[in-house]
Amino acid sequence: MPDFGYTITKDRQLDHDHGDFRYISLVRSIEPSLDLCIGCGSCSASCSAAGFTDFNIRKLHTIIRRGDVESVKAELKKCMFCGKCQLVCPRGVNLRNLIMAMNRAIELLG
Amino acid sequence: MGKSVIVIGGGIAGMTAAGMLARQGYEVTLLEKENETGGHVAHWDRLFPDRRKASEVLEFTGEGMKDVHVAKGISISRISRQNNEFTVTCGMQDSGSVMKSHFTANALIVATGFDLFEARRKEEYGYGIYNNVITSADLEEKFKSGKGILTAEGKIPKRIGIIHCVGSRDEKVGNLYCSKVCCVTGVKQAIELKEMYPGSVVFSFYMDLRMYDRNFEELYYEAQQKWGISFIRGRLSECAENPDGSIVIRTEDTLTGKPLKMTVDLLILLAGFVPAAGTASVAGMIGLKTGTDGFVNPADSHIKNNLSGIPGVFLAGAVKGPVSVTEAIADARAAAALTSEYLKASIEEYA
């Protein structure tokens, strides 16, 4: 069979039916306040790292909640743990511990 | 006193206004198109935000209108006003045959309420096509029956999706407005489903969550914290049915900016408010003004909210747009108070 050079592009949709929810269940057990997020973006708006990179903490933990973790792994390292996100969160989500928990989950589950 | 009032519409607003005026000694006639009073509340199991029984509210309201003359199965064919007296001409169902009847009164309260949005009109959501797509009203009927909530195949739904804004904030169905109470209804129903089936997961698909009144935001907080309900921001685009009857939904998770696909066993559509079918005809007979949304416009949205612009004609409840049960009751009491004031003063300009 000759190689015509065609490939199949993986679609970018979140397939919730085949998501990997091991990460989020571990993260949730360490930091249950994550459930209170209302997606307002106060955390990402106040983020020190977001001023210089495309790091978006609000988006990262939402993606993990949807069962996708691959696209998040490298991103998480951009956090400088200044904790401003936690100071502004209107729902009292313990964001610094949440990021620690996400790092821990990736460390444990690979 | 000898003065009389006709209330058009026997839902919670009409019942409340009728009862209040009758207790003040007015001769009150309540006209209801159905064969029972109670309107939508009669079909609801529990009310937000405290999940009290809807039947208790109805019972309380019903007890307050013992002296009201209630005429059921009414269809109004004509309303005329002459010398500050209104004559309502009706067809009346009486043991199968239709009789003509007239009612006269010194004042009218229009409380024709609302209808639920016909979810079949959002064809892409599959209501009436797929067996496991139901509306919030269907779900309440199921809660009320006490028989449990099962899929069409008779199984416990493991994954449940709740869709907000069905028929609301949607130009495609001609409704630009927000129905305002569906948000909190959806949160209430999510909690009730989770309470019934703790092992199931419930997802709510919303655009904004409008937790506008006291204790609503707290209910949302409880839904997240205590019940672990997942709220995903994004409007349902379309759904499809799997061979096993489950429903595949496609939406965008707008907070991650990615399209999202998910299979659910049961899909609940939060149907919004539309003006009651009877509102347009009653409004036409009296000369009431309606907005582009079809709801009746009061004389002034702030200070004459229960007045219609026509002397002696008052407005109560959801005839003016979406309201909660609490608001419908308060609004009906306000309408009744103003009606009484009008009847005592006989002010021609009271409009």
Side-chain angles (χ1 to χ4, degrees):
Chain A
M1 181 92 174
D3 179 3
F4 293 104
Y6 296 120
T7 56
I8 295 169
T9 310
K10 189 188 176 308
D11 72 31
R12 56 184 291 279
Q13 85 175 346
L14 293 165
D15 184 352
H16 203 281
D17 296 339
H18 300 102
D20 186 347
F21 298 98
R22 293 173 304 152
Y23 295 85
I24 192 59
S25 39
L26 181 56
V27 169
R28 196 173 262 139
S29 69
I30 301 169
E31 192 43 65
S33 69
L34 164 67
D35 285 345
L36 293 172
C37 173
I38 52 172
C40 70
S42 295
C43 53
S44 39
S46 66
C47 177
S48 306
F52 303 100
T53 70
D54 54 7
F55 179 68
N56 184 329
I57 183 56
R58 196 258 312 142
K59 207 164 169 177
L60 292 184
H61 69 66
T62 310
I63 290 171
I64 295 186
R65 277 189 285 167
R66 304 290 175 258
D68 179 15
V69 77
E70 286 312 315
S71 59
V72 171
K73 284 179 179 170
E75 279 295 303
L76 270 178
K77 295 193 174 67
K78 294 177 182 168
C79 171
M80 299 182 285
F81 289 96
C82 71
K84 278 168 72 183
C85 49
Q86 195 170 326
L87 290 175
V88 297
C89 177
R91 281 299 191 99
V93 175
N94 187 338
L95 274 128
R96 214 149 42 159
N97 197 39
L98 171 64
I99 300 164
M100 299 274 275
M102 290 195 284
N103 279 320
R104 182 98 183 101
I106 290 163
E107 204 179 293
L108 287 172
L109 300 167
Chain B
M1 255 180 279
K3 292 280 175 76
S4 56
V5 184
I6 291 172
V7 179
I8 302 172
I12 197 73
M15 290 171 75
T16 300
M20 190 165 153
L21 286 163
R23 294 196 299 277
Q24 290 177 36
Y26 295 102
E27 192 193 309
V28 183
T29 306
L30 178 69
L31 307 180
E32 168 55 45
K33 69 173 171 14
E34 303 290 340
N35 293 318
E36 290 303 326
T37 54
H40 293 278
V41 179
H43 301 282
W44 229 248
D45 185 39
R46 287 171 191 273
L47 304 178
F48 57 76
D50 54 4
R51 285 190 278 152
R52 72 101 49 82
K53 281 272 180 196
S55 56
E56 289 171 15
V57 173
L58 212 51
E59 202 178 316
F60 173 85
T61 312
E63 277 169 13
M65 45 176 254
K66 287 202 172 96
D67 296 325
V68 175
H69 171 60
V70 181
K72 298 169 192 169
I74 289 282
S75 62
I76 297 173
S77 52
R78 190 163 182 269
I79 301 171
S80 61
R81 175 169 174 266
Q82 210 163 28
N83 302 326
N84 289 337
E85 191 174 87
F86 295 92
T87 304
V88 179
T89 310
C90 312
M92 208 172 171
Q93 290 278 350
D94 189 40
S95 46
S97 63
V98 179
M99 315 188 322
K100 272 271 181 217
S101 184
H102 298 273
F103 298 95
T104 56
N106 304 106
L108 278 186
I109 294 182
V110 181
T112 47
F114 70 97
D115 288 339
L116 283 166
F117 173 74
E118 174 49 77
R120 281 178 185 83
R121 290 184 58 206
K122 280 304 274 184
E123 199 179 336
E124 63 272 38
Y125 290 2
Y127 184 65
I129 303 170
Y130 307 139
N131 293 330
N132 285 312
V133 180
I134 64 172
T135 65
S136 40
D138 297 335
L139 183 65
E140 285 294 327
E141 297 263 17
K142 286 178 194 281
F143 279 135
K144 206 171 157 67
S145 77
K147 287 179 195 155
I149 315 292
L150 298 174
T151 65
E153 294 75 29
K155 292 180 185 147
I156 289 174
K158 291 283 176 202
R159 295 161 66 82
I160 302 164
I162 298 180
I163 307 298
H164 286 242
C165 297
V166 178
S168 306
R169 308 171 74 195
D170 186 355
E171 196 203 53
K172 292 289 178 281
V173 297
N175 298 339
L176 283 179
Y177 55 87
C178 164
S179 291
K180 124 177 173 178
V181 296
C182 331
C183 277
V184 63
T185 298
V187 171
K188 180 201 78 113
Q189 292 184 335
I191 290 174
E192 288 167 332
L193 287 163
K194 193 73 184 164
E195 204 170 42
M196 184 176 278
Y197 301 126
S200 297
V201 281
V202 182
F203 300 93
S204 265
F205 293 88
Y206 70 98
M207 294 193 285
D208 307 281
L209 283 170
R210 299 187 164 180
M211 298 293 142
Y212 69 94
D213 214 343
R214 192 169 180 208
N215 297 323
F216 288 11
E217 183 71 16
E218 287 82 348
L219 194 71
Y220 171 30
Y221 193 98
E222 181 191 324
Q224 291 180 302
Q225 189 185 44
K226 184 174 173 189
W227 303 100
I229 290 147
S230 284
F231 291 87
I232 301 177
R233 188 172 181 277
R235 186 169 199 139
L236 177 63
S237 63
E238 58 181 344
C239 53
E241 191 184 46
N242 284 319
D244 67 356
S246 61
I247 306 292
V248 183
I249 58 178
R250 284 175 197 282
T251 174
E252 185 196 349
D253 178 1
T254 61
L255 295 179
T256 59
K258 289 184 177 189
L260 184 143
K261 187 192 89 176
M262 184 191 284
T263 304
V264 294
D265 302 320
L266 186 64
L267 192 67
I268 294 148
L269 308 179
L270 290 165
F273 280 46
V274 295
T279 296
S281 67
V282 167
M285 290 174 208
I286 307 174
L288 297 172
K289 290 188 177 67
T290 53
T292 50
D293 55 9
F295 290 104
V296 172
N297 287 340
D300 180 296
S301 58
H302 293 94
I303 51 176
K304 293 182 178 177
N305 196 33
N306 296 104
L307 309 190
S308 65
I310 298 162
V313 180
F314 299 84
L315 308 170
V319 66
K320 293 176 288 176
V323 281
S324 68
V325 172
T326 312
E327 289 159 341
I329 291 172
D331 193 62
R333 287 175 181 157
L338 290 164
T339 305
S340 173
E341 212 171 65
Y342 165 81
L343 291 172
K344 280 177 187 153
S346 286
I347 307 167
E348 176 72 15
E349 297 77 40
Y350 210 108

